[in-house]
Amino acid sequence: MTATPLRARIMPYQKTAAALATENDIPLQGERVRETDTGREKTGDGETHYNDLDYDDDPAKLDGVTETGLTVLTGDPAAARAAIGAVSTTDIAAAVNNVINGAPGALDTLNELATALGDDANFAATVTNALAGKAAAAAVLLSLAANPDQLATGTITRSATSAATGFSVSWPDGATGTFTGTESTSFPGAIDSYVVTHVLSAVTTTYTQPALTRDSSGAVTNRPAIVVS
């Protein structure tokens, strides 16, 4: 028996899945056929038997379907986007905002970040090396501050017992400064504490040697660490 095409209908032609499979007619071009028990639909092409048609919600049929086309079918733009993996402008804006995450306007693009880092692809290594250099230089200055007589320049001011209580200093990095010593009251002629300054490019660093502790013979038994400020 030759199957006859179904008549065109405004409403879907509806029967149970089993009944439609038994009929296995050829739906007309564009005709919708709905299974009442499953809720699934097929759309005819005027040539293919019902059993050989794909369901309209078959994922394979969504390949290449536009968001606009799906919106017409579903009436739901969000569902249409989800079906084809598309995103809205709102989704894109939210993703960008998540990346920026409140960064200030001057640092919210990759180019601005690169400029802030001096366009240095090895910025971390550059900073590490610079800090290491500063640490080494600071150690040298601290060592000199512990022996300020090496820095003395010009006239030295001395107490009545010849203790050096003041003089100008010249540092190897070009800085200048002064030395001010406090003479020991128990052992005249000896300096118990002092302050030496390091002035470079209008920046002053002060090295303070707290008071030394001496034994009964005047020998130093404790020398507190120099304080840098």
Side-chain angles (χ1 to χ4, degrees):
M1 172 179 170
T2 303
T4 57
L6 297 174
R7 295 188 305 277
R9 299 175 179 85
I10 296 176
M11 295 295 293
Y13 178 64
Q14 304 185 68
K15 282 190 176 182
T16 64
L20 291 170
T22 299
E23 290 179 355
N24 197 27
D25 287 326
I26 300 176
L28 297 176
Q29 174 74 36
E31 182 178 21
R32 294 162 54 207
V33 182
R34 185 173 188 274
E35 297 175 355
T36 56
D37 51 341
T38 68
R40 303 184 74 185
E41 294 186 3
K42 295 184 179 183
T43 301
D45 59 8
E47 299 178 356
T48 306
H49 285 275
Y50 180 81
N51 291 343
D52 296 324
L53 289 171
D54 292 325
Y55 286 101
D56 291 344
D57 59 1
D58 188 328
K61 296 188 69 175
L62 296 177
D63 291 344
V65 177
T66 66
E67 179 182 335
T68 300
L70 282 174
T71 299
V72 171
L73 292 176
T74 65
D76 184 347
R81 287 193 295 272
I84 63 174
V87 294
S88 67
T89 54
T90 300
D91 296 328
I92 294 172
V96 171
N97 287 333
N98 287 337
V99 172
I100 295 174
N101 196 26
L107 293 172
D108 62 0
T109 70
L110 292 177
N111 184 58
E112 289 169 342
L113 288 173
T115 299
L117 297 178
D119 292 322
D120 185 354
N122 299 306
F123 179 76
T126 299
V127 172
T128 298
N129 292 336
L131 291 176
K134 287 182 177 295
V140 170
L141 295 180
L142 184 59
S143 175
L144 291 171
N147 299 279
D149 54 305
Q150 302 178 63
L151 304 172
T153 183
T155 302
I156 297 177
T157 300
R158 296 183 180 278
S159 68
T161 54
S162 297
T165 57
F167 51 80
S168 296
V169 298
S170 178
W171 298 82
D173 61 358
T176 58
T178 58
F179 169 90
T180 303
T182 301
E183 187 174 9
S184 171
T185 55
S186 300
F187 300 94
I191 296 296
D192 270 353
S193 63
Y194 63 83
V195 174
V196 61
T197 60
H198 174 281
V199 183
L200 183 65
S201 300
V203 177
T204 300
T205 302
T206 302
Y207 297 86
T208 301
Q209 173 61 70
L212 308 177
T213 301
R214 300 176 184 275
D215 61 18
S216 58
S217 67
V220 176
T221 57
N222 181 55
R223 180 171 185 165
I226 290 177
V227 177
V228 182
S229 60

